[in-house]
Amino acid sequence: MVVQKGKPGTKGQKQILQENKDTLAFYRNMALGAVGGYLGIGMILFTTFPALDLTFFILGCLVLGGCYRFMASMATPKLAADGTLLDEGCDLNIEGGIGEHVKDLVILTSGVIVLAMFSSYFWLIWLLAPIRGAQMLWTNVLGPWFFQPAPEEPEERVLDKKQLKRERRMKYR
């Protein structure tokens, strides 16, 4: 194993473009596998799908499709008229970026759909998404905003101005 010292190297445009394509293909296959598995097992085991399960399944498909389209639009490269690469699009694999959170939602939704093949109660796991969203909202936006220290008034400056004013009066008297 080679240990790299110092700052990690930056990725080139072509590497980011290739990694984005691979990432999109992986998450597309994950989503299609979950949806296909649910439909395949459901057609074998059930004569009709339960209405609530079908509703959640359709909602899950919409979430998966929306996440995929969002990631694809983030990773869309910009090409010049002659076909040269101007911009590779956003890096989907950057740590802490929005692409990471969207990928987590795809993983959660695919997992819930696969688990829901066995019991309808697994749809409740989907409640982790808004709980995580609320936790991120609190820690990154609301918490720091509510608990930031109050701005301190510069008392010394006010006192210094008054003292200087008094000294000037004394000087001219």
Side-chain angles (χ1 to χ4, degrees), residues 133-150:
Q135 184 260 339
M136 286 174 39
L137 180 68
W138 179 258
T139 57
N140 296 326
V141 179
L142 296 178
W145 184 66
F146 281 129
F147 297 114
Q148 70 181 355

Side-chain angles (χ1 to χ4, degrees), residues 151-166:
E152 295 180 19
E153 300 223 1
E155 291 181 26
E156 296 175 8
R157 191 173 181 187
V158 173
L159 292 177
D160 289 342
K161 285 183 180 181
K162 287 181 181 179
Q163 189 176 5
L164 287 172
K165 197 172 185 179
R166 284 183 197 144

Side-chain angles (χ1 to χ4, degrees), residues 24-39:
L24 284 172
F26 175 77
Y27 284 99
R28 180 197 62 221
N29 294 341
M30 178 189 293
L32 291 176
V35 168
Y38 185 84
L39 288 176

